[in-house]
Amino acid sequence: MKKAYIYVLISTFLFSSMEISLKLAGSQFNGVQLNFLRFLIGGLALVPLAVHNMKQRHVTFQKQDIGTFLLTGFVGVVVSMTFFQIAVEVDAASTVAVLFSSNPIFALIFGYIILHETLTRSNLIAVVVSVIGLLVIVNPAHLTNPLGISLALIAALTFGLFAIMQRQVGMKRGYDGLTMNTFSFIAGALELMVIMILSHIQV
């Protein structure tokens, strides 16, 4: 349990610094380029761990999984992270960070719709409180940057969908979260490469 708390704290610190890093790097790279590099390098770095986990679970890679990872990669990397990157570029990193952190709300909703998971009383209270918090942050009566806010919320919504899609596939195929992330990241990066080639963005 102590290790779990340590891992949560480390991941929280690293994730909270992501928006600032993307804001700084965004001035040097095109947003699509940046996402391509992030997820290709990250995905390839995780391959050894993913393969190890698959062996431990006695799970083998199937041809039909390619289409699945292309779909999850498209939703999580191409769509969600692209909107996220653009939101960081056009709005304050702190605002985008808070809005994007609402993705668990959408994950709960998609989990109820797609996986038919039960929404407990505490879940519903968390959703209501989170929505109220978002409304306070967004302040619909005095919108200063509706574009940035809209992009951040779309990124959060699609990331919540991405999380539930991964969970659904993981339950069916026996993949753990790390394995799902690994191959989704690589698939999404390859899709971004195709987009860059077709749009003449430098790879």
Side-chain angles (χ1 to χ4, degrees):
M1 184 62 70
K2 289 183 179 180
K3 286 185 177 180
Y5 285 128
I6 292 173
Y7 292 149
V8 168
L9 288 174
I10 293 174
S11 60
T12 301
F13 171 77
L14 293 175
F15 199 84
S16 63
S17 64
M18 180 174 65
E19 290 81 6
I20 302 299
S21 301
L22 292 177
K23 191 83 170 182
L24 295 174
S27 60
Q28 302 297 324
F29 295 93
N30 178 280
V32 178
Q33 286 178 316
L34 192 57
N35 278 338
F36 167 73
L37 293 172
R38 287 172 59 206
F39 290 100
L40 180 64
I41 295 172
L44 292 176
L46 292 174
V47 167
L49 294 175
V51 172
H52 175 72
N53 286 0
M54 290 174 66
K55 289 181 179 179
Q56 283 192 325
R57 289 170 169 261
H58 305 288
V59 177
T60 56
F61 196 86
Q62 304 293 330
K63 288 183 179 180
Q64 59 266 30
D65 292 336
I66 296 176
T68 299
F69 287 124
L70 287 172
L71 179 59
T72 55
F74 180 79
V75 174
V77 177
V78 178
V79 179
S80 181
M81 289 296 102
T82 298
F83 277 108
F84 180 76
Q85 176 63 37
I86 298 173
V88 169
E89 293 175 0
V90 302
D91 205 343
S94 56
T95 302
V96 175
V98 173
L99 293 175
F100 186 75
S101 67
S102 67
N103 69 81
I105 300 174
F106 300 109
L108 280 174
I109 296 172
F110 285 123
Y112 173 76
I113 296 172
I114 298 173
L115 301 180
H116 307 293
E117 294 178 340
T118 302
L119 285 176
T120 64
R121 182 179 179 182
S122 58
N123 290 148
L124 292 173
I125 293 174
V127 169
V128 172
V129 172
S130 299
V131 170
I132 293 174
L134 286 176
L135 290 175
V136 172
I137 295 170
V138 172
N139 191 4
H142 299 88
L143 288 177
T144 56
N145 192 340
L147 176 60
I149 291 171
S150 299
L151 293 173
L153 288 176
I154 292 173
L157 185 149
T158 49
F159 195 83
L161 176 60
F162 168 67
I164 296 304
M165 290 172 65
Q166 290 208 112
R167 190 186 306 171
Q168 184 182 41
V169 174
M171 290 190 298
K172 288 182 178 179
R173 291 286 295 114
Y175 291 126
D176 64 348
L178 186 145
T179 303
M180 288 297 306
N181 277 336
T182 299
F183 295 112
S184 294
F185 289 172
I186 294 174
L190 293 176
E191 289 169 328
L192 286 175
M193 183 175 68
V194 173
I195 292 173
M196 287 190 293
I197 292 173
L198 294 177
S199 59
H200 305 291
I201 296 174
Q202 186 177 357
V203 180

